[in-house]
Amino acid sequence: MAKRDYYEVLGVERGASEADLKKAYRRLAMKFHPDRNPGDKEAEDKFKEANEAYEVLSDDSKRAAYDQYGHAGVDPSMGGGAGGAGFGGANFSDIFGDVFSDFFGGGRGGSRGGVQRGADLRYTLELDLEEAVRGTTVSIRVPTLVNCKPCDGTGAKKGSAPVTCPTCGGVGQVRMQQGFFSVQQTCPRCHGQGRIISDPCESCHGEGRVEEFKNLSVKVPAGVDTGDRIRLASEGEAGMHGGPAGDLYVVISVREHSIFQRDGKHLFCEVPISFTDAALGGELEVPTLDGRVKLKIPEGTQTGKQFRLRGKGVAPVRGGGPGDLMCRVAVETPVNLDRRQRELLEEFRASLEGNSSHSPKASGWFEGVKRFFGDL
Ligand SMILES: [Zn+2]
Ligand SMILES: [Zn+2]
């Protein structure tokens, strides 16, 4: 199946900034997350596609390679991408090393003799703001490649064993003479494995690994935010032919909250306030993550005024004191007035007539308008 352009997948311009990419990816990830679309194959595919696109475009060097060479520059199949919920074909290793090692005879450490470290995996974990702030332990179910039991990861049928490749003598590389140059290339017979399996194991078809779901318990520390990564060492894909396993990266994505917006360690919320309280002063009940607290409002408070509640924000995961909660008051115009209330307000309006000292903003504004027309 032909792959779609990564920029098109995320719905952004080619020159999109990192923040735009993140925003676009977040929107898609939220929309198509398998937890929200159980059993919906199309949503799952869209989710994987977005994960893959973001994986590449969020990494400067991968993005540069993609811009120059297209999909060929960043083929995730080299990393052995996993399928299933929550995954993109994540491979955090250096693509240039993979693409060019054949030509420079470099060979990545450990790939000799068929032993290869398993790929790193990425899992997107959605949390509520409260969970992210307080920390939590969640169990996740991740599809991954594990060592095949019948053959013990060797890929060879029980009773048989892989044999050293006769073409390269187990090195995985062969030297070829090309004109003046002697070029080292991956052995065509064993594809760099150094060993060949003449009698492959039936349950893994010689791969040495099989796909399996693993249940893992993830301890999320208090204070994490969207984009933070928790590394679970050796919980990624099993290595090839007995190589060490890769790591699993759990990437945090915090859901939007109905009351609070978060910016780093600070929280923001908007609190409606009656115009009489705003004018006369009063006491408000405002929500915090630890419950309600009282907030004194001085008389003459204007709409948009922000009150800072020190220490009622989030204690960041990397240490340091907690941030603040900023409550922005919004003065509310009273509605559905009865006759008596109307009379009171009519009387009140009349009492203001001709005295601009009660309206600090309006008088300043009219001064500005006057100056503006005077300058014309
Ligand atoms: Zn060979
Ligand atoms: Zn096997």
Side-chain angles (χ1 to χ4, degrees):
M1 194 182 71
K3 274 191 186 176
R4 284 208 296 156
D5 177 69
Y6 286 150
Y7 291 97
E8 188 188 314
V9 168
L10 294 181
V12 295
E13 299 287 323
R14 285 196 91 76
S17 69
E18 222 166 284
D20 288 342
L21 285 171
K22 194 168 180 176
K23 224 165 96 188
Y25 167 66
R26 227 175 103 80
R27 195 172 46 78
L28 291 170
M30 296 281 218
K31 187 169 169 196
F32 295 118
H33 197 282
D35 288 353
R36 292 196 174 171
N37 305 277
D40 184 344
K41 179 85 178 83
E42 200 186 321
E44 192 188 318
D45 288 344
K46 285 242 164 67
F47 182 71
K48 279 191 217 162
E49 197 184 24
N51 267 353
E52 188 184 313
Y54 183 66
E55 185 73 37
V56 168
L57 298 184
S58 62
D59 180 316
D60 286 345
S61 62
K62 285 185 190 174
R63 185 174 178 179
Y66 177 73
D67 286 346
Q68 200 170 354
Y69 305 109
H71 288 293
V74 291
D75 185 6
S77 67
M78 290 189 303
F87 279 86
N91 175 23
F92 291 80
S93 68
D94 176 8
I95 8 160
F96 288 106
D98 285 340
V99 171
F100 295 117
S101 61
D102 282 355
F103 300 107
F104 297 128
R108 288 193 303 145
S111 70
R112 297 280 168 85
V115 175
Q116 212 173 350
R117 184 176 177 273
D120 290 332
L121 297 177
R122 171 199 182 102
Y123 182 91
T124 305
L125 178 63
E126 268 196 53
L127 295 175
D128 289 331
L129 178 65
E130 289 88 339
E131 294 175 309
V133 167
R134 296 194 182 113
T136 180
T137 302
V138 288
S139 52
I140 59 172
R141 194 169 144 78
V142 297
T144 185
L145 291 170
V146 297
N147 265 328
C148 173
K149 284 203 184 74
C151 67
D152 204 20
T154 63
K157 204 171 188 170
K158 221 181 160 90
S160 77
V163 294
T164 303
C165 171
T167 306
C168 61
V171 182
Q173 306 261 317
V174 287
R175 280 197 174 278
M176 310 265 273
Q177 198 70 30
Q178 283 183 357
F180 297 110
F181 303 102
S182 164
V183 181
Q184 206 166 22
Q185 284 189 332
T186 301
C187 171
R189 175 109 182 242
C190 65
H191 306 291
Q193 305 292 320
R195 299 182 293 183
I196 45 177
I197 293 161
S198 47
D199 208 0
C201 162
E202 271 158 15
S203 50
C204 65
H205 309 288
E207 274 290 303
R209 305 182 297 180
V210 286
E211 201 164 294
E212 203 176 77
F213 277 92
K214 275 206 284 203
N215 290 310
L216 292 170
S217 169
V218 184
K219 209 172 141 40
V220 180
V224 292
D225 205 350
T226 295
D228 284 339
R229 303 199 309 187
I230 299 166
R231 177 171 164 264
L232 301 182
S234 301
E235 297 290 3
E237 284 184 1
M240 282 292 270
H241 308 291
D247 300 329
L248 173 67
Y249 288 88
V250 175
V251 183
I252 303 296
S253 168
V254 182
R255 292 188 193 100
E256 272 177 35
H257 195 272
S258 56
I259 299 173
F260 301 110
Q261 289 91 49
R262 177 175 177 184
D263 184 8
K265 60 180 184 172
H266 299 307
L267 292 175
F268 296 82
C269 74
E270 196 175 82
V271 186
I273 170 178
S274 73
F275 96 105
T276 43
D277 278 352
L280 304 173
E283 205 173 50
L284 287 185
E285 266 207 338
V286 296
T288 75
L289 286 174
D290 315 313
R292 292 167 185 280
V293 298
K294 296 221 185 298
L295 176 65
K296 267 203 170 13
I297 302 291
E299 65 173 77
T301 293
Q302 300 295 339
T303 197
K305 167 95 180 156
Q306 203 157 260
F307 295 92
R308 182 186 291 263
L309 296 169
R310 288 198 188 279
K312 294 292 183 192
V314 181
V317 68
R318 285 165 197 87
D324 305 327
L325 169 62
M326 253 68 83
C327 292
R328 189 175 169 279
V329 297
V331 174
E332 201 165 38
T333 306
V335 296
N336 299 327
L337 301 177
D338 62 23
R339 245 185 65 197
R340 169 81 183 127
Q341 288 164 331
R342 276 191 158 279
E343 278 167 18
L344 284 169
L345 280 182
E346 290 288 2
E347 203 177 310
F348 178 65
R349 175 154 69 184
S351 77
L352 295 176
E353 209 108 309
N355 190 343
S356 65
S357 73
H358 302 302
S359 313
K361 269 194 186 159
S363 47
W365 186 78
F366 283 120
E367 280 304 308
V369 170
K370 223 188 274 174
R371 260 200 311 279
F372 173 70
F373 285 113
D375 289 348
L376 279 180

